[in-house]
Amino acid sequence: LSKLSRFNKNKVSNPRVKQDWRVYPMCGNFWKSSHYQQWILDGQELELHRRRDLQSLTAEELQKTHIFLANYIKALGETLKMRQQVIATATMYFKRFYAKHSLSDVDPTLLCPAAVYLASKVEECGVISSAKMMTALRTVIKKEYTYIMPDSPYSMSHILECEFFLLEVLDCCLIVYHPYRCLTQYITDIGQEGTLLATSWKIVNDSYRSDLCLLQPPYLIALAAIHMAAVIQKKDIRPWFAELNVDMSKILEITKTMLSLYELWKKFDEKKEMIDIWSKIPKPKLTKKDPPQSSTRPDNNDTGTSKS
């Protein structure tokens, strides 16, 4: 992977090359969508929203927490037999929520199943019954996460209530553009489906453990994944990149982010490190609802949420 910089010796930027579908395959949709207009964030803005989390955790610990929770969403989605795109959408909802709120505002172990449940509806992958959802949640916890949470303290009613809070924070911006469609189009154009697709697809999957989905358009993430896969598979696709009107400095920036993620992830032992990290995160307390009264409103804290 250290050879990745070789692609960037000659910056690929030819002003005579037209902006064709290979560079902008989502033109007319993505650029006018809420994904681009509201949810491609600035790095400084993201750091500003995470100041509260960084009072309790270091930047590395926070990144490890996001890796851990993305793995938790993946395990829950796979137990429910969901497609990868549904899991990616759920992870995106989770990332967007905690880009605006602190981990201490809503218990992540409540938000993760709420994000999965919402993504299953948006991606139309079939109705998930309450019983099936709770069974999958208990199965995942019992199989992999008892060292963090012996059991989920939340019921389906809590998940449903948290889903409404998630919708509010997302501002009902539920249509998500993923790099997968661009990726398959690009690799088909290159003619390397048999060698590059599987590796680059895995790199895109791994990118959801980072903040790239909040900071970069999907087509750039797809190009960076192909860039990395070509180096790993020792395929020279520089002539193909030379035909694109794309700023390779952005591709290199994404590549460096992914290399940093892999370096951190390689040394990250979840079972040993997460117990200590988890204990540092302030968590909202689950309180019982008082009997409904005509003169008072229900307490919102029973969803595991706290007002900021």
Side-chain angles (χ1 to χ4, degrees):
L1 292 179
S2 61
K3 298 178 182 177
L4 284 166
S5 58
R6 292 184 182 178
F7 273 110
N8 300 280
K9 287 183 178 179
N10 298 316
K11 183 178 178 182
V12 180
S13 181
N14 187 345
R16 294 177 295 176
V17 177
K18 295 182 179 180
Q19 297 179 353
D20 59 20
W21 68 269
R22 292 178 295 180
V23 181
Y24 301 101
M26 296 169 291
C27 188
N29 296 297
F30 174 74
W31 306 110
K32 296 180 180 179
S33 70
S34 60
H35 185 149
Y36 177 70
Q37 295 181 357
Q38 293 180 238
W39 288 104
I40 296 294
L41 308 178
D42 181 78
Q44 293 182 345
E45 180 186 359
L46 192 58
E47 289 180 8
L48 183 65
H49 284 300
R50 288 181 173 170
R51 284 188 303 176
R52 287 172 57 201
D53 287 331
L54 293 173
Q55 291 175 0
S56 305
L57 304 172
T58 65
E60 184 175 305
E61 288 173 337
L62 182 59
Q63 190 175 3
K64 288 178 178 178
T65 302
H66 279 262
I67 292 172
F68 168 78
L69 292 169
N71 290 341
Y72 179 49
I73 290 173
K74 179 176 180 288
L76 184 56
E78 289 178 346
T79 302
L80 290 165
K81 297 183 173 38
M82 291 179 169
R83 305 187 317 272
Q84 174 57 38
Q85 182 164 324
V86 185
I87 296 171
T89 298
T91 308
M92 182 79 86
Y93 292 163
F94 159 81
K95 286 281 189 181
R96 287 181 176 182
F97 184 91
Y98 286 116
K100 301 289 186 181
H101 285 267
S102 166
L103 291 168
S104 61
D105 288 339
V106 176
D107 188 343
T109 61
L110 173 61
L111 188 83
C112 287
V116 170
Y117 194 65
L118 178 59
S120 70
K121 298 176 185 178
V122 174
E123 297 291 347
E124 299 180 351
C125 69
V127 177
I128 299 177
S129 66
S130 299
K132 185 178 180 180
M133 186 70 187
M134 294 309 298
T135 299
L137 189 58
R138 294 189 185 100
T139 300
V140 169
I141 292 173
K142 184 177 180 181
K143 185 178 179 181
E144 300 183 43
Y145 296 102
T146 51
Y147 65 96
I148 287 290
M149 38 188 160
D151 194 10
S152 175
Y154 302 110
S155 65
M156 194 62 197
S157 63
H158 293 124
I159 293 174
L160 292 172
E161 203 161 344
C162 185
E163 182 187 21
F164 280 103
F165 186 35
L166 176 59
L167 278 167
E168 181 183 350
V169 172
L170 295 176
D171 196 24
C172 293
C173 299
L174 302 179
I175 302 302
V176 173
Y177 289 82
H178 295 291
Y180 301 111
R181 179 177 294 180
C182 305
L183 186 70
T184 54
Q185 289 178 346
Y186 294 151
I187 292 181
T188 299
D189 186 55
I190 296 170
Q192 295 282 349
E193 296 94 331
T195 54
L196 296 182
L197 183 59
T199 303
S200 55
W201 191 281
K202 289 177 182 178
I203 293 170
V204 169
N205 290 347
D206 293 342
S207 72
Y208 287 95
R209 271 73 175 172
S210 70
D211 293 326
L212 287 173
C213 59
L214 297 173
L215 302 173
Q216 300 290 351
Y219 82 95
L220 284 179
I221 297 173
L223 288 172
I226 294 171
H227 186 190
M228 296 178 70
V231 174
I232 294 169
Q233 298 293 337
K234 299 180 180 178
K235 297 292 181 180
D236 185 3
I237 58 172
R238 282 175 292 182
W240 183 82
F241 268 101
E243 294 179 1
L244 302 181
N245 184 24
V246 63
D247 186 355
M248 284 301 293
S249 65
K250 293 182 179 179
I251 304 297
L252 182 58
E253 181 183 345
I254 295 171
T255 300
K256 287 180 178 178
T257 300
M258 287 303 300
L259 291 175
S260 298
L261 171 68
Y262 285 133
E263 187 64 27
L264 178 68
W265 199 353
K266 180 181 177 181
K267 299 182 292 185
F268 178 33
D269 189 330
E270 285 189 10
K271 292 187 177 180
K272 288 183 179 180
E273 297 182 49
M274 277 310 300
I275 295 174
D276 180 56
I277 295 173
W278 200 254
S279 65
K280 297 179 182 180
I281 304 173
K283 299 176 187 62
K285 293 183 179 179
L286 182 66
T287 57
K288 294 182 179 180
K289 266 189 178 179
D290 295 329
Q293 300 176 8
S294 58
S295 60
T296 60
R297 297 177 64 185
D299 184 4
N300 289 330
N301 286 341
D302 66 329
T303 64
T305 66
S306 63
K307 295 181 180 179
S308 55

